[in-house]
Amino acid sequence: MRLIGRAALLLPALVGLYLLAAAVGAVIPGRVQEASAKDGPPVTILLVAGPIHYDVLLPLTAETRAAFAPLGPHGLPVDAPGAEWLIIGWGAREFYTTTGSYADLSLAAVWRSFTGDASVLRVDVAGPLRDGLDLPAVTLTAGQYGQLLAAIGDSFRRDRAGALVPIPGPGFGPTDRFFAAQGRFDILRTCNTWISDMLRAAGLRFGAWTPTPYAVTLSLARFAPGLDTPGAPD
């Protein structure tokens, strides 16, 4: 009984320590890749947060469509006339691909997300933005945006022929798809740390470790104050 009691006390302490470390990691700048001096107009990207997860929204400019053209043969309508945004998120394979809603959560998926799982990227497209919900908007130089596209592209795992590796089965909607990704997911390397990795790879100052949505939000406030919030995708 004493062991059970001690474990019951230890778990909240560990959770609190984890959240405290995440807050500290969010405000300490991580290593930033030097930004390219590429000429061109600035590009604004959006970030969208759920209860446990951040996604990045890329405007479907000609450059974005060209960079992600390999998604087209796998059912992603990146060239569709009404598509204006490409939505990308990274996460644990079992948790991400089986959890359409929180009612679908299984203990096995949650356990693997804590202890380690293969990673996937979920990709979708969205049309025009609707008014009402505020999304953080980050404006990048042309060079930074090119680096962001390259970093996200490098997050996809490829086969020996260099082709993308789709995950069998449908997505959660008519247009989203899952693909095998680089790296493994665990409690220290989460979907939210992937966001900060991508932003720093683009040459932006951002938190060194952001494992929770709150940590990403805190890092945005610390390193990118005064963000635009134009709306939410349909």
Side-chain angles (χ1 to χ4, degrees), residues 7 25 28 31 33-34 41 50 55 74 81 104-105 114 141 147 155 159 162 205 210 220-221:
I28 296 175
R31 184 178 179 181
Q33 184 172 323
E34 184 177 352
D55 286 318
H74 299 285
D104 302 324
L105 276 175
F114 277 101
T141 67
Q147 289 178 194
S155 295
D159 62 19
R205 293 184 75 229
T210 59
L220 284 168

Side-chain angles (χ1 to χ4, degrees), residues 68-79 164 166 177 179:
F68 293 99
L71 297 172
H74 299 285
L76 264 295
V78 292
D79 287 327
L164 301 178
R177 297 292 184 272
F179 295 87

Side-chain angles (χ1 to χ4, degrees), residues 4-32:
I4 295 175
R6 288 176 180 175
L9 292 174
L10 181 60
L11 183 58
L14 290 175
V15 172
L17 184 61
Y18 180 84
L19 295 177
L20 176 61
V24 173
V27 298
I28 296 175
R31 184 178 179 181
V32 177

Side-chain angles (χ1 to χ4, degrees), residues 92-159:
R93 175 167 177 164
E94 185 166 345
F95 188 100
Y96 209 175
T97 60
T98 62
T99 310
S101 72
Y102 291 106
D104 302 324
L105 276 175
S106 69
L107 288 176
V110 173
W111 177 250
R112 290 199 67 176
S113 69
F114 277 101
T115 59
D117 193 5
S119 63
V120 295
L121 286 155
R122 178 177 176 268
V123 190
D124 201 356
V125 296
L129 302 181
R130 70 176 188 268
D131 295 328
L133 295 177
D134 292 335
L135 297 179
V138 180
T139 299
L140 310 178
T141 67
Q144 289 173 329
Y145 188 63
Q147 289 178 194
L148 178 65
L149 294 181
I152 294 175
D154 288 343
S155 295
F156 288 86
R157 186 159 59 85
R158 289 171 167 78
D159 62 19

